[in-house]
Amino acid sequence: PAGRPLSCSGGSPPRSMAQSQELIQQLLEAWLNPLLAQRSSNFAVPGSSPTGSRGMSGQSQELIQQLLDAEKAAEGTIAAAKKARLAKLKQAKDKAEDDLKAFRDEQERKFQAEMGGKAAADPSAELQGATAKEAEMVEKDYQTNKERTIAYVIGKVLDVPTQLSTTQTQALMMGVAER
């Protein structure tokens, strides 16, 4: 993989976590495979000097730089996502506050309409109307029951017993005998 260019699906910078992981995997393979090959060649032929160490050093620096670039791109993507989320939350909060303000205004308007009608009404006129109605009902009851009431009272006055009861007679007798 030494000559293979490292890129995520299409050569663009990573846009998702999966793409970032894929790039990191490629970078690690590209970095480790030459090192493992160098180690195995160092152990296989003792005394030989590594001729491609400069090339590997430059390549590993390049791979490390690609890894750092991918990491920065991932951090940028995460920061952009956080900013977008915060913007959406702020927008939702503002919308909710606007809706609440509209609801409060509507309720206040309804309340003022009801209270305005009650404040404009004259309570003393309403009381006078109720008092006049009650007085009219009393007068009607009087006219309806006047004849029966007069007949009842006259009947009770004229229905006085003229005879004494036995108890009254005994009480009178005892009062005369004691004297």
Side-chain angles (χ1 to χ4, degrees):
R4 189 175 86 184
L6 299 176
S7 66
C8 288
S9 45
S12 61
R15 300 213 184 268
S16 71
M17 186 61 90
Q19 287 178 336
S20 295
Q21 288 175 344
E22 177 186 338
L23 183 59
I24 291 169
Q25 181 69 31
Q26 288 176 3
L27 290 172
L28 287 175
E29 286 176 6
W31 185 61
L32 289 176
N33 285 341
L35 290 178
L36 291 174
Q38 180 188 8
R39 274 196 173 180
S40 64
S41 69
N42 283 345
F43 289 115
V45 183
S48 68
S49 67
T51 57
S53 70
R54 273 190 203 176
M56 278 201 197
S57 174
Q59 186 182 10
S60 64
Q61 289 297 324
E62 182 182 319
L63 293 176
I64 290 172
Q65 187 59 43
Q66 282 183 346
L67 185 61
L68 291 173
D69 291 345
E71 194 175 315
K72 283 182 183 177
E75 286 175 0
T77 303
I78 291 170
K82 283 182 180 180
K83 284 181 183 177
R85 190 186 94 218
L86 290 174
K88 284 183 180 181
L89 285 174
K90 186 178 183 325
Q91 182 181 10
K93 180 183 172 191
D94 292 344
K95 172 92 171 97
E97 286 176 354
D98 290 344
D99 290 348
L100 182 61
K101 185 176 186 270
F103 177 75
R104 281 186 181 156
D105 291 344
E106 178 66 25
Q107 293 301 316
E108 182 66 24
R109 221 178 355 267
K110 285 180 184 178
F111 176 75
Q112 291 301 331
E114 285 181 24
M115 292 308 294
K118 289 181 180 179
D122 186 14
S124 63
E126 189 176 316
L127 181 62
Q128 283 178 340
T131 304
K133 192 179 232 183
E134 290 289 327
E136 183 181 309
M137 287 176 55
V138 169
E139 181 65 29
K140 182 180 175 186
D141 284 346
Y142 170 73
Q143 291 300 330
T144 303
N145 297 321
K146 178 170 89 170
E147 293 298 322
R148 274 193 306 180
T149 305
I150 291 173
Y152 177 78
V153 171
I154 290 174
K156 287 296 179 180
V157 168
L158 296 177
D159 187 27
V160 176
T162 54
Q163 297 178 4
L164 295 174
S165 68
T166 55
T167 309
Q168 292 172 334
T169 311
Q170 284 178 358
L172 283 174
M173 294 272 222
M174 284 179 67
V176 172
E178 285 181 14
R179 284 195 190 189

